[in-house]
Amino acid sequence: MADPAPVEGGSELHQMFHRLSQEALRITAEINGSYHTPDELHRLMEELTGRKIPASFGLFPPFYTDCGKNIVIGERVFINMGCKFQDQGGITIDDGALIGHNAVLATLNHDPRPSHRASMTHAPIHIGRDVWVGANATILGGVTVGAGAIIAAGAVVTRDVEPRTIVGGVPARLIKRIEE
């Protein structure tokens, strides 16, 4: 999504996202409802995202998203079981990234004012080349994870991660730099 303006609850844009969510729910129910070969999963992910997905992509369902059309996946990306993508703000996953079990990528926030709580703001997530996102990690909107970084299991990432670093904790903090 290119426009960073808030999405007002009940607006035409909000209703469009609701329609896209219904389509995503239908396709993810198909993905998650029974066994599919890798080729079938590839086809379903292309239908979900509305774009070409590299043949080297791998997915172990279940997989959940509430839009799908704002996910961009590079070569040799693997998404493990139970991941949840909230992609209205845009999620880009570069080549060679590994996304661990139950990872959450959330690009939306609700307005903090109770009288406007149905309104949302959004910001993209960018997962760099050869990143490893550990199991049960959460990455919030507006975050870029630099190439070669590792997000420790259970981390909550609220700000950008430098390339070739390991971050962990809540909120995630630098643990160490990665040397080749």
Side-chain angles (χ1 to χ4, degrees):
M1 167 169 240
D3 184 0
V7 176
E8 296 297 322
S11 69
E12 187 176 316
L13 184 56
H14 186 253
Q15 293 304 314
M16 180 198 73
F17 275 136
H18 181 72
R19 287 188 299 276
L20 289 172
S21 293
Q22 293 306 302
E23 180 182 352
L25 288 169
R26 178 186 59 76
I27 298 167
T28 56
E30 174 69 20
I31 289 170
N32 301 329
S34 63
Y35 172 78
H36 296 283
T37 66
D39 288 341
E40 291 168 337
L41 287 172
H42 184 264
R43 180 190 57 76
L44 286 164
M45 285 299 289
E46 287 188 336
E47 181 182 356
L48 178 65
T49 63
R51 66 185 79 222
K52 288 299 236 178
I53 301 285
S56 58
F57 169 73
L59 172 69
F60 283 179
F63 174 77
Y64 304 94
T65 186
D66 57 359
C67 183
K69 301 304 185 215
N70 297 308
I71 300 171
V72 177
I73 297 172
E75 294 283 345
R76 301 174 324 281
V77 167
F78 177 71
I79 300 172
N80 218 326
M81 291 184 235
C83 290
K84 297 164 188 75
F85 288 12
Q86 183 188 53
D87 67 287
Q88 284 91 334
I91 295 173
T92 300
I93 305 173
D94 289 346
D95 297 349
L98 306 173
I99 312 297
H101 289 87
N102 301 314
V104 174
L105 280 63
T107 66
L108 290 179
N109 261 324
H110 287 277
D111 192 303
R113 300 169 296 170
S115 61
H116 293 81
R117 194 65 42 89
S119 296
M120 297 170 283
T121 58
H122 47 84
I125 294 172
H126 185 172
I127 306 296
R129 184 180 187 99
D130 298 320
V131 166
W132 174 17
V133 177
N136 296 301
T138 298
I139 301 173
L140 299 182
V143 168
T144 295
V145 180
I150 297 173
I151 309 300
V156 176
V157 183
T158 61
R159 60 184 180 197
D160 289 353
V161 175
E162 292 181 40
R164 300 177 60 91
T165 59
I166 301 173
V167 300
V170 180
R173 301 220 188 287
L174 178 67
I175 295 173
K176 72 179 201 176
R177 299 197 181 280
I178 300 171
E179 302 299 327
E180 191 63 45

